[in-house]
């Protein structure tokens, strides 16, 4: 009897499990357009006004926003556990970027300890004219970022050197910061080693080579324009003439604290070689840290305990020195980036909720359906990516979201998806560094010692390239169409409609 009842009970176990799942599962409501607009506008207004107008504590503000978004998400049918999983999932996905940030902060301290950065500064003061600093900064940071594939790594190394040179030479620090950020973002955009470059090609379903070739069509004209601007701004950037005695005094301080030698360039050489071998950013940075540690031991006479101290807290000079010297060398270390780590996780949590629940997707789809022309598609893609970047404070999610949402309309209008991947980078990789509440902008500002609002007008490449891209699309220049056999060709004048 027992067996008979047991057989009846379990005759259709899969049906029983399915009914249980249906009964216990809460239906997730899709946010409607009005609610999505209210949530996004409230998020923008809260962050921008709190950060730029009222100067509130940004971490506390983000925590309040996360709590408010959790309440709205809960009202849409999501359970507490599902909301927590959303947030944790986004933080876990951001770990590679956080590791790069940590390695960059360690690299800064170790390159100072080994004498690499002091040697670069000393030689720059000796041979580099103040009038040529902006253009030189733009070119060197571009090459470094292409090799390294990371704007963060470029800002943490070359950025520190050129900002120190600007402070010592009487050159505008804000303009120098704009030049190094422009160059760093150029390399981050087109380097095959860059995470955003690879992500954009994957999100848009095109090959990496197609993506890079498409980007060059609009990136090279913008780069040439920025090159000419920084070339013409050379004399304008020098706001005061620094006495030669002050520069000589700084060089003496550097030489008294460090052994200035060409051997200290070995970490830079390692970075270049591994970059040309197309190794990952973490591998390149780790190799640079190890190389600088070896140089510090044998050339600078540093003990192992001092090396470990620098990894944690950065380089800290113990002697009596001038203020500008201390500003240059007292940098780096994991602990110096802890506030940025926390901020990054909070921003990503906000962006993750906006993305996963569908607030961004609903607004984007509403406007995508109204696009009629190829040039409008390009402009809408870039603007959409910018809006998503402003909402999330990140470049990864906007690239993924825009790449997925716009694929159908690009296919429908016969535009090759390499144009889509290019627009995603225009609106995310280049735009995120000039969003004051983004993790990238907070890091750049902290590393260079220049507020985002101050360097924004001079980070010309970051805002000029998207404008050039949109302008060229309305002129039917650089638009690539996709033939039925999958081959590419350019739109001609008669394709404009």
């Amino acid at each position: 009897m027992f067996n008979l009842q047991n057989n009846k009970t379990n005759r259709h176990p899969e049906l029983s499990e399915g009914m249980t799942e249906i009964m216990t599962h809460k239906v997730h409501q899709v946010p409607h357009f009005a609610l999505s607009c209210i949530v996004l506008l409230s998020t923008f207004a809260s962050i921008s006004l709190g950060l730029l107008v009222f100067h509130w504590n940004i971490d506390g503000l983000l925590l309040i926003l996360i709590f408010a978004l959790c309440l709205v998400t809960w009202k849409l049918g999501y359970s507490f556990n599902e909301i927590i999983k959303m947030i944790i999932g986004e933080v876990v996905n951001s770990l590679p970027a956080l590791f790069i940030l940590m390695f960059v902060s360690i690299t800064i301290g170790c390159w100072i300890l080994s004498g690499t950065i002091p040697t670069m500064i000393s030689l720059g003061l000796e041979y580099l004219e103040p009038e040529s600093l902006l253009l030189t900064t733009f070119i060197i940071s571009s090459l470094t970022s292409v090799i390294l594939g990371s704007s963060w790594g470029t800002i943490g190394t070359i950025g520190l050197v050129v900002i120190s040179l600007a402070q010592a030479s009487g050159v505008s620090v804000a303009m120098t910061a704009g030049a190094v950020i422009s160059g760093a973002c150029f390399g981050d955009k087109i380097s095959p080693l860059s995470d955003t470059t690879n992500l954009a090609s994957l999100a848009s379903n095109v090959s990496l080579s197609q993506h890079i070739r498409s980007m060059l069509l609009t990136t090279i004209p913008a780069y040439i324009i920025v090159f000419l601007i920084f070339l013409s701004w050379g004399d304008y950037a020098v706001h005061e003439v620094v006495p030669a005695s002050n520069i000589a005094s700084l060089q003496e301080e550097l030489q008294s604290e460090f052994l200035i030698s060409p051997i200290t360039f070995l970490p830079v050489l390692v970075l270049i070689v591994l970059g040309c071998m197309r190794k990952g950013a973490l591998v390149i940075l780790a190799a640079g840290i190890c190389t600088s540690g070896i140089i510090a031991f044998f050339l600078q006479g540093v003990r192992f305990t001092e090396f470990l101290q620098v990894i944690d807290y950065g380089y800290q000079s113990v002697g009596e020195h001038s203020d500008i010297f201390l500003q240059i060398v007292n940098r780096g270390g994991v602990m110096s980036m802890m506030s940025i780590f926390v901020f990054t996780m909070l921003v990503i949590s906000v962006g993750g909720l906006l993305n996963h629940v569908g607030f961004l997707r609903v607004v984007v789809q509403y406007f995508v359906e109204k696009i009629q022309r190829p040039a409008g598609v390009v402009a809408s893609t870039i603007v959409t990516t910018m809006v998503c970047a402003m909402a999330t404070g990140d470049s990864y999610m906007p690239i993924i979201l825009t790449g997925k949402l716009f694929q159908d309309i690009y296919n429908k209008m016969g535009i090759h998806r390499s144009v889509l991947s290019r627009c995603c980078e225009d609106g995310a990789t280049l735009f995120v560094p000039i969003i004051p509440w983004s993790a990238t902008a907070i890091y750049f500002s902290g590393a260079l010692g220049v507020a985002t609002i101050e360097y924004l007008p001079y980070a010309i490449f970051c805002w000029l390239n998207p404008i050039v891209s949109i302008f060229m699309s309305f002129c039917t220049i650089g638009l690539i169409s996709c033939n039925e056999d999958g081959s590419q060709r350019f739109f001609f004048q008669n394709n404009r409609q």
Side-chain angles (χ1 to χ4, degrees):
M1 186 69 178
F2 175 80
N3 291 335
L4 180 60
Q5 290 178 348
N6 190 46
N7 289 337
K8 288 182 178 179
T9 305
N10 297 286
R11 185 173 299 171
H12 301 288
E14 67 282 355
L15 181 60
S16 175
E17 292 175 2
M19 291 298 295
T20 303
E21 184 178 352
I22 292 173
M23 292 174 64
T24 58
H25 180 68
K26 295 184 69 176
V27 179
H28 299 161
Q29 300 178 34
V30 178
H32 53 76
F33 178 74
L35 176 63
S36 299
C37 288
I38 292 172
V39 169
L40 290 179
L41 291 175
S42 300
T43 302
F44 290 151
S46 300
I47 295 177
S48 57
L49 292 176
L51 184 64
L52 304 177
V53 178
F54 300 109
H55 306 290
W56 290 337
N57 178 276
I58 187 64
D59 292 344
L61 180 60
L62 289 173
L63 281 172
I64 295 174
L65 277 175
I66 291 172
F67 179 74
L69 287 173
C70 286
L71 288 178
V72 177
T73 304
W74 175 72
K75 290 292 290 182
L76 291 173
Y78 290 83
S79 67
F80 177 76
N81 288 334
E82 289 175 321
I83 295 172
I84 294 299
K85 286 180 180 179
M86 286 184 203
I87 295 174
I88 293 177
E90 289 301 326
V91 172
V92 170
N93 291 336
S94 70
L95 286 180
L98 292 176
F99 270 107
I100 290 177
L101 178 59
M102 181 179 69
F103 273 56
V104 168
S105 63
I106 296 173
T107 299
I108 294 172
C110 291
W111 278 29
I112 295 175
L113 182 68
S114 64
T116 302
I117 289 179
T119 298
M120 296 170 72
I121 294 173
S122 182
L123 293 177
L125 291 172
E126 184 73 26
Y127 298 107
L128 191 61
E129 294 295 331
E131 293 79 7
S132 63
L133 182 60
L134 284 186
L135 184 60
T136 304
T137 295
F138 180 56
I139 296 173
I140 292 178
S141 61
S142 299
L143 295 174
T144 303
S145 190
V146 169
I147 294 171
L148 187 58
S150 169
S151 59
W152 289 22
T154 303
I155 296 300
T157 51
I158 300 301
L160 174 58
V161 174
V162 297
I163 287 296
S164 301
L165 290 174
Q167 292 172 334
S169 304
V171 179
S172 169
V173 174
M175 296 178 73
T176 306
V180 71
I181 290 171
S182 293
C185 291
F186 164 79
D188 200 351
K189 181 185 178 186
I190 69 166
S191 173
L193 299 177
S194 171
D195 50 357
T196 54
T197 303
N198 286 273
L199 183 63
S201 64
L202 289 173
S204 303
N205 196 22
V206 295
S207 68
L208 183 61
S209 59
Q210 289 176 328
H211 172 51
I212 293 177
R213 286 199 299 269
S214 177
M215 285 195 295
L216 291 176
L217 295 174
T218 57
T219 302
I220 295 302
Y223 190 89
I224 294 173
I225 295 173
V226 177
F227 179 94
L228 295 175
I229 292 175
F230 284 131
L231 177 64
S232 64
W233 278 2
D235 294 329
Y236 175 70
V238 182
H239 58 78
E240 65 173 316
V241 178
V242 178
S245 58
N246 290 6
I247 296 178
S249 176
L250 177 58
Q251 287 178 304
E252 290 176 2
E253 287 186 281
L254 290 170
Q255 292 169 2
S256 66
E257 184 93 1
F258 307 95
L259 179 59
I260 306 299
S261 169
I263 299 177
T264 60
F265 279 98
L266 188 57
V268 181
L269 180 61
V270 170
L271 181 148
I272 294 173
V273 171
L274 292 179
C276 293
M277 293 173 62
R278 299 187 65 174
K279 300 296 182 182
L282 287 175
V283 174
I284 296 173
L285 291 172
I289 292 170
C290 294
T291 307
S292 61
I294 294 172
I295 293 174
F297 296 146
F298 292 102
L299 192 66
Q300 305 293 349
V302 174
R303 293 174 298 180
F304 184 68
T305 54
E306 294 175 324
F307 178 70
L308 295 179
Q309 183 92 2
V310 168
I311 289 177
D312 277 341
Y313 300 101
Y315 187 87
Q316 300 293 326
S317 179
V318 295
E320 293 186 5
H321 296 284
S322 61
D323 291 340
I324 188 171
F325 176 85
L326 296 177
Q327 290 175 10
I328 291 173
V329 302
N330 288 353
R331 294 174 179 265
V334 175
M335 299 306 296
S336 66
M337 295 294 174
M338 288 307 298
S339 60
I340 298 179
F341 289 158
V342 174
F343 172 81
T344 302
M345 288 189 289
L346 292 175
V347 165
I348 288 173
S349 299
V350 172
L353 290 171
L354 293 175
N355 181 32
H356 281 289
V357 179
F359 299 112
L360 288 170
R361 186 176 293 102
V362 168
V363 174
V364 170
Q365 287 179 336
Y366 177 83
F367 291 104
V368 166
E369 295 172 355
K370 302 182 182 299
I371 302 173
Q372 301 294 330
R373 301 174 54 192
V377 173
V378 171
S380 299
T381 306
I382 295 175
V383 172
T384 297
T385 313
M386 288 179 171
V387 172
C388 293
M390 293 175 65
T392 62
D394 181 45
S395 57
Y396 292 171
M397 279 183 283
I399 288 175
I400 295 172
L401 179 64
T402 308
K404 297 300 181 184
L405 289 179
F406 275 80
Q407 279 192 38
D408 288 342
I409 191 169
Y410 273 75
N411 294 336
K412 178 182 177 182
M413 301 193 73
I415 308 173
H416 199 270
R417 289 190 301 273
S418 61
V419 178
L420 168 61
S421 63
R422 177 179 80 202
C423 294
C424 289
E425 289 234 58
D426 287 339
T429 305
L430 298 184
F431 191 63
V432 164
I434 56 177
I435 301 174
W437 54 85
S438 72
T440 301
I442 294 293
Y443 168 69
F444 286 0
S445 178
L448 301 176
V450 183
T452 306
I453 297 301
E454 294 180 13
Y455 73 64
L456 189 154
Y458 308 111
I460 307 172
F461 186 77
C462 295
W463 49 262
L464 179 64
N465 195 169
I467 295 174
V468 169
S469 185
I470 293 174
F471 174 78
M472 290 178 64
S473 70
F474 277 96
C475 296
T476 324
I477 303 174
L479 279 179
I480 307 172
S481 65
C482 186
N483 297 324
E484 292 182 359
D485 59 358
S487 60
Q488 300 179 30
R489 64 180 175 83
F490 288 101
F491 275 84
F492 294 101
Q493 190 73 19
N494 59 1
N495 288 106
R496 263 191 251 169
Q497 310 203 21

